[in-house]
Amino acid sequence: MDPNNRGPEEYGQDGDHQAPRPRPHRDPLTSDFGQHAPALARTVQLVSGDFLLTVNPVDGSEIEVCPPTERPTRPEKLTAAERADAERAARPPVPPGPVRTVLGLLAREDERERLVRLLARGRSVRLTGPAGSGRTSLLDLVAEDCAGLAPDGVIRLSGHHRTADDLLHDLFYAVHRAPLHRPDRAELLGHLREVGAVVVLDDLEFGGAALDELLDATPECAFLLGATPEVAAPSADSAVEEVFLTGLDRSDGVELLERAAGRPLTEEEANWAGDLWFESEGLPLRFVQAGALLRRRDRERAGADAVDEFGVFADARPAEDTPYDAAEADDVPLPSLGEAAAPAPLLASRLSASARATLEFAVALGGEVPHQAHLPALVGDTHADAALGELTDCGLVSPVGSRYRLAAGVLTQLESAGYADAVRERALAAAQHYAWWAGHPSVTPERVCAEADAVLAALAVLVPTTTPPGDDAESPAVQLARTAAPAFAAGLHWSAWQRALRSGTEASRLAGDVAEQAYFHHELGVLALCEDRLDRARAELEASIGLRGALSDKRGAVAGRRALALVADRTGDTPGLGSGAGAFGKAAPVAGFGVVGAGLGPTVGEEVPDTRNEESVSPSAGVPAPFPPLQPPPQSPTLVTRREPEEEPSRTVAGGIKGFARRNLVAAGAGALLVAVLGTVVTLGATSENDPGDPSNEVGVNPSASQGVDDGSLGADRPSDDGKDRETPGGPTDSGPDGTPGTTDDPTPTESGRPSDGPSSTGGTTDPGDEESPDDPGSPDEPSKSPSTPPSTSSSPPPPSSSPPPDPTTSPSTSPEPSGGETTGTPPESSTSAGDSNTPTVAGSPATASQSGAATGGPGTVPGPVI
């Protein structure tokens, strides 16, 4: 026995006679350091207007009417401390590295005082200046001066790639505490009317009517707008003051260059600065970049002197802040005027490898600089986050909102220098990194929204070049849009959500991924429904349902039908029951919504049952709908018509609930009246059996309800003495004179038990009442009439039949009856309709009883003999 193991454990027991702990399952095909269980899908539930939206990254977002218990309370305003924390979080991050000297603002005091004075009066001002004129720095100083003017303080917003609706929601969240709540338009405007703040909005991209909408929605706010001259001006009716920024004077430009270089300028450098001022029209950004060129030149000169002095110690470099004596001999020439006017390539050539790689990513992303936390993973250098500090120190990037972008003109200069040669590769690497990062469970939706511009820029590069991927491969553009879109929705950045869905729809179409294309269409439909764009929502949801129906995606199709039912409920065009089938087969009642049509099928339930082929055949009268649509009753609801036997009867509910009930009442009344008539006939037949004048004992062949020629009445044929013109019925229904059936004096049966070969007619001239009755045995469409019907007197006997006579003992009840409209002889020349006025009544019953029975499908004649 192993001395290290106790005995009981060999038999599955510990020393205390308890079962041992189960060992974890070890899969030899799985890496020990891999994640064995897949991460759960990150679902977020938020309230958008009247809807409760569940962002589901797997099957698509689910939307429903928000229950009263889930509705959020009225949002409260943030305190001053909370607003200060939110403002600090919204500022761009401080680049790592040594602390840099703040250059300050030169020759802007007049504009600064004027802006503060106008804002203190409650006026809105637009500060217009070209890119690189120092507009953002001036807005920062004015915001500090206006800190105590408004009750809700100063709100800093960025208008870069933002619409008026986006800015209204940004202002709402900057003032109110409303997590996971996106108010609708009416509620949003109601809250913004109560906001009183100084709103500093930089990088505005719209004007005109859109700007008027923004200003009208916030009557208690004073706006300080920063825009370039290319942006549309405010409308003439808006009370917005215009303040223009111009370039610096020559002396101010030289002073700014000295601050950026960190030392006084030599005469040659001062002349060089004058030429630069003339070429740049005094833009401060050009002098900041020129100062970076001078610092790099001083560093090169100091490095060359160190090499000459120490010889082999070529790697010995002085620190960046080492003072340099400009009076010494100078063997490094100044940059040319062209290089000073477009200094980006020259500055980038003297940066580190990580900084140059960062510039390549920025060029690939359309000028968007990734956050410094992503640079180590993108560049492949653990210290690549310091590259942002180098770019900021050179003036190659500038802050935009909470991020950094390439400064004005830098993107064009770098593209001409060859930094755009690897745009596809850099964008692909960024897309793969952001797809992994955005889908990680530890990354919050707010962090993904902060990188929205870089993510969307990567999609803009990859989507046009998307091709179908190979086996077991995914399209990077589809994967990035699929991962980032739910995060944008959960982070309430819905403009980015819409752009990501549009890009994902196009990428999935180019890649041939039908499942992902259905997902993006579904999300676009849900977004349009939340924004009250119902026509767009219907189109997107129907496209999604069609694609998912082709893929047999039941769960996704159910979510799409639920959203489409909400669209129908909002538009008020909910189709009625029995409205026909759509793309998915027969229309069926929808549980919970009562909506049928457009191929929707059931909308409530987790699973949709499979279609069965063994469905029962619909009844001849049609399938009555339980709740037919209410329609006005027809003009003639009691019209009775005769249907041909060859046609397949089919009836649908066309008159609504009222017509449906009226027909039921007519049918029930006709049936009750027919039962009463039959009872009367039976009673009369039983009480008049011994009456010698009973017409039932005197029945001739081919009885017809016609008027006699002798007395003008409807009477039975009287038997003649010689019996030549007398015809016997088709069966022994009479016992003869002796009263005993089966004797020789019983009447002989004729061939009325089978259809005749020709129509029965009477010779000579007949009046309209002598037409053939529906009860004629020769008619193939009606059964043979019982002998109790009073016959009429015929003027001439019918032609003899060529068929042999039947057995005299055969009863008329066993005679074959034609069915289904099939005939064995020649069809009759004419037939009497159910509504004929000459149709005889039975035992005094009104003619409407038979008419009503024909209309409702009930029996219109007495079937079989009545005893």
Side-chain angles (χ1 to χ4, degrees):
M1 184 167 72
D2 189 358
N4 296 326
N5 297 326
R6 292 173 293 177
E9 291 185 357
E10 295 180 354
Y11 303 96
Q13 299 290 333
D14 285 339
D16 52 357
H17 303 285
Q18 295 181 358
R21 293 179 301 172
R23 293 183 178 181
H25 176 70
R26 187 176 182 86
D27 188 359
L29 299 179
T30 305
S31 175
D32 293 339
F33 301 99
Q35 186 175 4
H36 297 274
L40 297 177
R42 180 177 56 191
T43 60
V44 178
Q45 199 172 61
L46 54 92
V47 177
S48 174
D50 296 335
F51 297 110
L52 179 63
L53 178 63
T54 302
V55 180
N56 185 2
V58 180
D59 299 320
S61 300
E62 300 178 4
I63 185 171
E64 58 181 334
V65 178
C66 184
T69 56
E70 299 292 338
R71 293 187 178 275
T73 59
R74 181 178 177 81
E76 300 178 356
K77 289 186 177 182
L78 300 175
T79 62
E82 291 174 340
R83 288 197 306 269
D85 294 340
E87 182 182 357
R88 282 192 296 268
R91 290 182 178 179
V94 179
V99 179
R100 287 160 180 81
T101 305
V102 179
L103 301 180
L105 196 63
L106 295 176
R108 301 300 187 190
E109 293 299 330
D110 295 339
E111 292 84 353
R112 178 179 179 179
E113 294 178 359
R114 182 183 177 186
L115 293 175
V116 173
R117 183 170 59 254
L118 292 174
L119 292 174
R121 297 175 182 176
R123 304 291 297 274
S124 295
V125 189
R126 169 171 155 159
L127 181 64
T128 305
S133 60
R135 185 185 65 251
T136 302
S137 301
L138 179 58
L139 292 179
D140 293 339
L141 295 178
V142 174
E144 295 177 359
D145 298 337
C146 299
L149 292 180
D152 291 326
V154 178
I155 306 299
R156 297 293 306 269
L157 299 177
S158 175
H160 181 65
H161 292 167
R162 308 291 283 177
T163 62
D165 187 70
D166 294 335
L167 292 175
L168 289 177
H169 282 90
D170 292 344
L171 180 58
F172 170 77
Y173 293 121
V175 179
H176 297 86
R177 186 186 303 106
L180 300 179
H181 178 210
R182 184 179 176 89
D184 56 7
R185 184 71 177 181
E187 185 180 0
L188 176 65
L189 296 180
H191 290 303
L192 291 180
R193 292 189 188 97
E194 302 175 358
V195 175
V198 175
V199 182
V200 180
L201 177 58
D202 196 8
D203 298 308
L204 183 67
E205 296 183 351
F206 58 86
L211 181 58
D212 294 341
E213 177 186 356
L214 177 63
L215 298 177
D216 295 341
T218 55
E220 301 297 329
C221 294
F223 282 83
L224 176 58
L225 310 172
T228 58
E230 294 81 11
V231 179
S235 61
D237 299 335
S238 63
V240 178
E241 298 285 343
E242 284 278 357
V243 176
F244 295 93
L245 276 182
T246 58
L248 300 176
D249 296 336
R250 179 171 180 174
S251 58
D252 296 332
V254 173
E255 182 180 357
L256 181 59
L257 182 58
E258 291 180 348
R259 292 185 181 182
R263 60 175 177 82
L265 300 180
T266 61
E267 183 177 358
E268 181 183 5
E269 293 173 345
N271 296 332
W272 178 74
D275 297 337
L276 179 62
W277 172 84
F278 182 81
E279 190 276 334
S280 63
E281 298 180 355
L283 292 179
L285 178 62
R286 298 294 180 84
F287 291 97
V288 173
Q289 295 172 348
L293 288 176
L294 292 181
R295 292 198 305 271
R296 295 297 187 274
R297 176 170 175 265
D298 295 343
R299 199 170 301 149
E300 290 180 1
R301 292 168 57 188
D305 294 341
V307 171
D308 294 340
E309 180 178 357
F310 297 101
V312 296
F313 299 101
D315 295 336
R317 300 280 178 149
E320 292 187 7
D321 52 354
T322 301
Y324 171 73
D325 188 4
E328 296 180 357
D330 205 355
D331 55 354
V332 179
L334 283 171
S336 63
L337 185 60
E339 293 175 341
L346 182 58
L347 289 174
S349 64
R350 300 176 180 179
L351 296 176
S352 62
S354 298
R356 290 194 299 270
T358 302
L359 290 177
E360 293 180 357
F361 277 102
V363 171
L365 297 179
E368 298 291 339
V369 179
H371 192 274
Q372 58 188 7
H374 298 281
L375 293 179
L378 292 174
V379 176
D381 184 7
T382 56
H383 302 286
D385 55 345
L388 184 60
E390 296 183 47
L391 299 177
T392 306
D393 189 38
C394 294
L396 296 179
V397 297
S398 60
V400 176
S402 61
R403 298 171 42 77
Y404 286 94
R405 281 182 56 86
L406 293 180
V410 175
L411 177 61
T412 305
Q413 299 172 22
L414 292 178
E415 288 177 347
S416 61
Y419 280 80
D421 296 341
V423 168
R424 169 72 183 178
E425 292 75 10
R426 294 297 187 182
L428 179 60
Q432 293 174 346
H433 167 75
Y434 281 126
W436 166 83
W437 173 75
H440 199 276
S442 63
V443 180
T444 61
E446 290 75 16
R447 293 178 59 188
V448 180
C449 292
E451 290 291 309
D453 292 336
V455 172
L456 296 175
L459 286 174
V461 175
L462 295 180
V463 167
T465 60
T466 301
T467 56
D471 297 339
D472 299 333
E474 295 183 1
S475 173
V478 175
Q479 186 180 9
L480 177 58
R482 187 71 162 78
T483 308
F488 293 152
L492 300 177
H493 194 348
W494 283 16
S495 60
W497 184 25
Q498 182 178 7
R499 293 173 60 189
L501 293 177
R502 295 291 182 196
S503 300
T505 303
E506 181 66 15
S508 60
R509 185 186 65 82
L510 296 175
D513 197 338
V514 181
E516 298 299 341
Q517 188 177 0
Y519 167 82
F520 290 121
H521 278 297
H522 174 83
E523 294 294 290
L524 285 172
V526 172
L527 175 60
L529 178 57
C530 292
E531 295 178 347
D532 203 23
R533 295 183 289 118
L534 301 181
D535 292 339
R536 187 69 185 181
R538 181 185 296 105
E540 296 290 352
L541 290 173
E542 287 177 352
S544 174
I545 293 173
L547 293 175
R548 283 176 166 172
L551 297 174
S552 299
D553 184 3
K554 297 180 180 180
R555 295 175 60 91
V558 166
R561 292 190 184 106
R562 288 176 178 174
L564 193 58
L566 285 180
V567 175
D569 180 68
R570 285 295 174 121
T571 55
D573 56 353
T574 304
L577 294 177
S579 59
F584 291 91
K586 293 184 178 181
V590 181
F593 296 99
V595 179
V596 173
L600 299 182
T603 60
V604 173
E606 295 300 328
E607 295 292 335
V608 180
D610 296 332
T611 304
R612 298 180 179 271
N613 296 327
E614 58 272 12
E615 295 180 353
S616 60
V617 181
S618 302
S620 59
V623 181
F627 299 100
L630 294 178
Q631 297 179 1
Q635 298 296 332
S636 301
T638 59
L639 179 63
V640 179
T641 58
R642 175 182 176 87
R643 297 182 183 273
E644 294 296 331
E646 293 82 1
E647 298 179 358
E648 182 69 16
S650 176
R651 182 178 305 167
T652 56
V653 179
I657 296 178
K658 296 181 179 180
F660 189 77
R662 183 180 293 107
R663 293 192 178 187
N664 288 341
L665 293 176
V666 172
L673 185 57
L674 183 59
V675 171
V677 171
L678 292 178
T680 304
V681 173
V682 173
T683 303
L684 292 176
T687 56
S688 60
E689 182 178 1
N690 299 326
D691 189 1
D694 187 7
S696 63
N697 298 327
E698 300 173 357
V699 180
V701 180
N702 194 15
S704 60
S706 60
Q707 185 177 2
V709 297
D710 51 353
D711 56 352
S713 62
L714 294 176
D717 293 339
R718 298 183 183 275
S720 59
D721 296 337
D722 53 1
K724 293 177 60 179
D725 297 332
R726 181 174 179 177
E727 297 179 0
T728 58
T733 58
D734 193 75
S735 59
D738 57 352
T740 304
T743 58
T744 57
D745 59 346
D746 294 344
T748 303
T750 61
E751 298 177 5
S752 62
R754 66 184 61 187
S756 62
D757 295 335
S760 300
S761 60
T762 57
T765 304
T766 60
D767 52 74
D770 293 336
E771 294 181 0
E772 184 182 10
S773 172
D775 302 329
D776 188 0
S779 176
D781 296 338
E782 299 292 341
S784 57
K785 191 70 177 178
S786 63
S788 61
T789 306
S792 62
T793 303
S794 302
S795 60
S796 63
S801 176
S802 61
S803 60
D807 189 2
T809 60
T810 305
S811 174
S813 61
T814 62
S815 62
E817 297 179 3
S819 61
E822 299 178 359
T823 60
T824 58
T826 305
E829 296 179 356
S830 61
S831 60
T832 305
S833 63
D836 193 354
S837 60
N838 294 328
T839 303
T841 59
V842 181
S845 62
T848 57
S850 62
Q851 296 173 2
S852 301
T856 57
T861 59
V862 181
V866 179
I867 300 175

